[in-house]
Amino acid sequence: MAAAEGPGSGGGSPGAAGGNRQLKYISLAVLVVQNASLILSIRYVRTLPGDRFFATTAVVMAEVLKGATCLLLILIQKKGNLKQFASFLYDSVVVQYVDTLKLAVPSLIYTLQNNLQYVAISNLPAATFQVTYQLKILTTAVFSVLMLRKSLSRLQWLSLVLLFAGVAIVQVEQQQAGSQPTPGGLEAQQSYPVGLAAVVVSCLSSGFAGVYFEKILKGSATSVWLRNVQLGIFGTLLGLLGLWSTEGPAVAQRGFFFGYTPLVWGVILNQAFGGLLVALVVKYADNILKGFATSFSIVVSTVASIYLFDFHLNLPFALGAGLVIGAVYLYSLPKGPSAGRPSPGTDGQLLGHAAQCKELPSVATQGFLTKSVLVN
C-alpha cells in the first residue's frame, strides 16, 4: 500500500527510524483498543438490566456525528472559507450526482450491516462474535477473486481453510454448551441462532460491500472525508428508513433517545470517531502489524469477557480461536511485491470508511469494525 509504505520504509536517520517504530506501536495499540472496546462496550450496554435503547437510533446517530465531523474537517481544509466550502460540497455532491449515487449501494449494505452487528452482539458472547466475525476475511477474499479477478497465494488459501475450520469449531462448541448466563438474567431475551445468522449475513454483506466499494472507486482522487460525507448522507437517510420500518411506533411513543445513558453515548462516539481515528493511524502499520492487531483483539475480547460476562473458556473454544488467530496472521503475510495490490489513489480513501467500520477487501482493515460497527 502506498499509504502504508512511506512511514515504515527503510533508510533515513536512526532518529527517524525510532520515531517510525514508535508510531507503529501506537498504531497497534489504537487498532487493538478500538476494535476490542467497541465490541465489549456494545455487548455490555446491550446486556445491562433496565431499559434498552433502540439500536436503530444508535446507528443513525453514529452516521450523523461521523458526517458532521467530516464536514468540519473539510471546512478546516478550506481554511474556514464558507463560500469555498459550500461551493465544493455543491459541486462534489449535487453537480457530480452520478458519482454520489454510486455510493448508495454500499451505503445501503453498510447500514444493514451495522444494524445486524448490533443484533449479533446482543445475542452472542463478545468473544464468540469476535471470532466468528473474522469470516468477513473469507467472504471478502472470495468476492475479490470473483469480482476483481484478484489472485491469492497458496498460503492465503490455506489460511482461509484454517479460518473456516476455527470458526466451525467455535460454533459447534458454543451450540453444545448452550447460551452463557448474562448479567441481569437476560438469557431469555437472547437467541444464539439469531445472533449467528446476523453475524453470518453481516460478514457476507461486509465482503460484498467492501469489494464493490473498491471496484467503483478505482482511480478516483476524491478525499476520504468527502467519501464519508457522501456515505453519511445515504447512511442517515437509510438508517432513518430502517428505524421507521422496524421500530417506528416504539420510537414515536418512547422517544428517539429512550434508554440512552453515558455508556450508550460512549458506544456511539466510539463508532463515529473510532473508525476515523483508525483511518488516521492505520497508514503507519503494515499488513503484518494489522493482522497481529486483529489477533490480539480476539485475545483481549476473550480475556475481558471472562471477567465482564462470566464467559467460560474451554479447550474447543481455545482451539478454534487459536486457528482463527493463526489464520488471520498467515493471511496478512505479504505474498509478493506486486500481487494483489490496490490501484493508486484508492487505498487511502477506502481505509477511511472501512474503519467504521466500513471495510475493505484487504486484511489491512478486515479485522476492524467500523466501522460504523458498526465497518467504519
Side-chain angles (χ1 to χ4, degrees):
M1 292 188 306
E5 291 172 353
S9 58
S13 64
N20 290 336
R21 189 178 303 111
Q22 185 178 16
L23 284 173
K24 283 191 174 185
Y25 290 139
I26 293 175
S27 300
L28 172 63
V30 171
L31 294 174
V32 171
V33 170
Q34 198 276 335
N35 192 31
S37 66
L38 187 55
I39 295 172
L40 292 169
S41 60
I42 291 177
R43 177 65 180 175
Y44 186 74
V45 298
R46 295 298 283 176
T47 55
L48 283 175
D51 296 327
R52 269 193 180 188
F53 66 97
F54 298 109
T56 50
T57 65
V59 171
V60 171
M61 282 305 304
E63 289 293 335
V64 170
L65 291 174
K66 178 166 54 65
T69 302
C70 291
L71 284 173
L72 179 61
L73 291 171
I74 293 175
L75 179 60
I76 293 174
Q77 288 180 341
K78 300 301 177 183
K79 299 180 180 179
N81 190 315
L82 292 177
K83 185 177 181 180
Q84 288 186 8
F85 172 73
S87 176
F88 172 76
L89 289 180
Y90 178 77
D91 179 70
S92 301
V93 177
V94 179
V95 176
Q96 301 180 40
Y97 66 93
V98 175
D99 186 60
T100 302
L101 289 175
K102 288 180 180 179
L103 299 180
V105 173
S107 184
L108 171 63
I109 298 174
Y110 288 139
T111 303
L112 171 65
Q113 175 190 339
N114 292 342
N115 283 281
L116 285 174
Q117 286 172 341
Y118 267 107
V119 175
I121 298 175
S122 299
N123 288 278
L124 296 177
T128 303
F129 171 84
Q130 180 78 303
V131 171
T132 309
Y133 194 62
Q134 302 312 312
L135 279 176
K136 62 187 174 181
I137 298 177
L138 172 62
T139 61
T140 301
V142 172
F143 282 120
S144 295
V145 171
L146 295 177
M147 296 173 61
L148 300 178
R149 304 301 180 186
K150 288 191 174 182
S151 62
L152 300 179
S153 66
R154 292 181 179 177
L155 182 61
Q156 287 178 316
W157 282 116
L158 173 62
S159 69
L160 294 177
V161 173
L162 293 176
L163 175 69
F164 184 82
V167 172
I169 292 173
V170 169
Q171 296 308 318
V172 170
E173 183 276 329
Q174 288 290 290
Q175 289 180 349
Q176 290 178 346
S179 58
Q180 298 293 339
T182 55
L186 296 177
E187 302 95 326
Q189 300 181 27
Q190 299 184 33
S191 170
Y192 191 89
V194 170
L196 179 59
V199 75
V200 169
V201 175
S202 181
C203 289
L204 288 170
S205 64
S206 171
F208 175 79
V211 174
Y212 178 85
F213 199 23
E214 180 181 10
K215 187 178 180 67
I216 65 174
L217 294 183
K218 272 189 177 296
S220 172
T222 305
S223 74
V224 60
W225 310 126
L226 178 60
R227 287 304 185 197
N228 274 273
V229 170
Q230 292 171 321
L231 284 166
I233 293 173
F234 290 111
T236 301
L237 294 176
L238 293 169
L240 288 172
L241 180 62
L243 184 156
W244 175 78
S245 62
T246 58
E247 298 176 318
V251 172
Q253 179 183 5
R254 298 185 175 185
F256 188 92
F257 298 106
F258 174 78
Y260 275 48
T261 64
L263 287 176
V264 175
W265 278 111
V267 170
I268 294 173
L269 291 174
N270 195 352
Q271 280 184 280
F273 303 130
L276 298 178
L277 178 62
V278 170
L280 293 176
V281 303
V282 75
K283 66 179 180 179
Y284 297 107
D286 55 25
N287 276 357
I288 296 177
L289 192 63
K290 292 163 194 167
F292 180 76
T294 302
S295 303
F296 193 53
S297 296
I298 296 176
V299 175
V300 171
S301 297
T302 301
V303 173
S305 295
I306 294 174
Y307 292 97
L308 292 176
F309 310 118
D310 195 26
F311 181 76
H312 299 288
L313 180 64
N314 52 32
L315 183 59
F317 182 92
L319 174 61
L323 286 175
V324 171
I325 291 171
V328 171
Y329 178 76
L330 289 176
Y331 190 87
S332 68
L333 294 176
K335 66 172 185 175
S338 60
R341 296 174 72 92
S343 63
T346 62
D347 192 61
Q349 300 158 18
L350 295 172
L351 284 175
H353 224 63
Q356 254 343 256
C357 309
K358 299 180 178 180
E359 291 90 352
L360 300 178
S362 163
V363 76
T365 52
Q366 274 302 311
F368 307 100
L369 293 177
T370 118
K371 39 153 97 195
S372 297
V373 193
L374 255 179
V375 247
N376 190 63

